[in-house]
Amino acid sequence: GQNIDQPTEMTATEGAIVQINCTYQTSGFNGLFWYQQHAGEAPTFLSYNVLDGLEEKGRFSSFLSRSKGYSYLLLKELQMKDSASYLCAVRDSNYQLIWGAGTKLIIKP
Amino acid sequence: DADVTQTPRNRITKTGKRIMLECSQTKGHDRMYWYRQDPGLGLRLIYYSFDVKDINKGEISDGYSVSRQAQAKFSLSLESAIPNQTALYFCATEGGSISGANVLTFGAGSRLTVL
């Protein structure tokens, strides 16, 4: 079966750096997405990786290793507003998105 | 106005009732999706549509039906609601390449409680 694994919950301190990991086993690969979801709100797009390597976008970066079935989302200079769930999703060979359960990130002052 | 609008935002109903959740979009996208989200689980696809004449079942379509009335409108129905359909439901459209990918734009969600 297809599977996306990410930690259920992480805690970090304001101003620090946190890395959220995502491992996947899917039928084919056509890109990996990270979405941010604040409590009770809609998910919003953060980043996309289809080739190996690091994609940087301001305080957020996302890394992909297709051979290892692994990605991470790196958040720098954490702010209280970064408290949210972060969803990893992989598009498989049938163009379907397979979603992880999400990682709830708690930021402490 | 939001790009993807869902109504109702909250609904409490009783077992056996018929419920319709509506979704409309102003993004002009052909592809539309209905997902449900439950605590501790990832988003699960109920139905999707790639254009007005195209309807496809997702991984958890049992107990649900959909109608694509127009490019902009995609509604989800529960013919006879049951308590385990209590969940947060999201409509999404796909399109508009960002960073080389077609991303999803989600509505604000419809929280359904079935008693």
Side-chain angles (χ1 to χ4, degrees):
Chain A
Q2 308 201 88
N3 195 49
I4 308 278
D5 285 319
Q6 15 178 168
T8 302
E9 187 175 295
M10 300 181 70
T11 302
T13 304
E14 190 177 14
I17 299 173
V18 70
Q19 177 175 310
I20 302 173
N21 295 327
C22 171
T23 58
Y24 62 89
Q25 291 178 306
T26 57
S27 302
F29 178 86
N30 280 301
L32 184 144
F33 297 80
W34 285 95
Y35 282 76
Q36 180 189 59
Q37 185 179 23
H38 286 99
E41 298 183 9
T44 56
F45 171 75
L46 278 180
S47 70
Y48 171 71
N49 296 72
V50 66
L51 299 176
D52 291 350
L54 189 68
E55 293 284 340
E56 297 186 83
K57 192 185 296 184
R59 294 189 299 113
F60 292 8
S61 303
S62 57
F63 172 83
L64 174 67
S65 169
R66 289 171 295 170
S67 63
K68 295 182 179 179
Y70 168 71
S71 173
Y72 67 72
L73 181 69
L74 191 71
L75 292 73
K76 303 176 183 177
E77 301 170 13
L78 286 169
Q79 302 175 9
M80 297 303 294
K81 68 179 183 180
D82 297 329
S83 292
S85 289
Y86 292 85
L87 313 182
C88 175
V90 172
R91 198 181 292 283
D92 69 11
S93 58
N94 293 320
Y95 203 73
Q96 296 300 315
L97 272 176
I98 312 301
W99 294 84
T103 298
K104 182 179 181 180
L105 178 63
I106 299 169
I107 309 296
K108 295 186 175 180
Chain B
D1 288 344
D3 293 328
V4 182
T5 302
Q6 292 184 231
T7 55
R9 293 292 315 281
N10 288 283
R11 181 73 183 269
I12 300 173
T13 191
K14 294 182 179 179
T15 298
K17 293 292 187 181
R18 184 178 188 273
I19 295 297
M20 179 180 286
L21 306 180
E22 299 188 355
C23 177
S24 63
Q25 52 118 344
T26 58
K27 297 188 74 69
H29 293 163
D30 287 324
R31 299 185 177 195
M32 298 187 73
Y33 301 80
W34 274 104
Y35 286 96
R36 68 176 279 176
Q37 187 174 44
D38 299 274
L41 298 178
L43 288 164
R44 291 186 291 167
L45 183 62
I46 306 171
Y47 271 96
Y48 62 102
S49 170
F50 284 174
D51 65 41
V52 175
K53 297 179 181 179
D54 177 73
I55 300 290
N56 303 281
K57 292 183 176 180
E59 62 179 297
I60 55 162
S61 60
D62 287 349
Y64 301 94
S65 62
V66 291
S67 175
R68 186 79 184 267
Q69 302 95 321
Q71 185 201 42
K73 296 184 182 296
F74 191 37
S75 59
L76 176 71
S77 294
L78 289 69
E79 296 302 324
S80 179
I82 56 177
N84 76 1
Q85 291 177 313
T86 293
L88 182 57
Y89 290 84
F90 285 105
C91 173
T93 72
E94 180 182 355
S97 179
I98 299 177
S99 302
N102 283 337
V103 301
L104 296 184
T105 301
F106 287 84
S110 296
R111 186 169 295 281
L112 177 66
T113 302
V114 183
L115 302 177

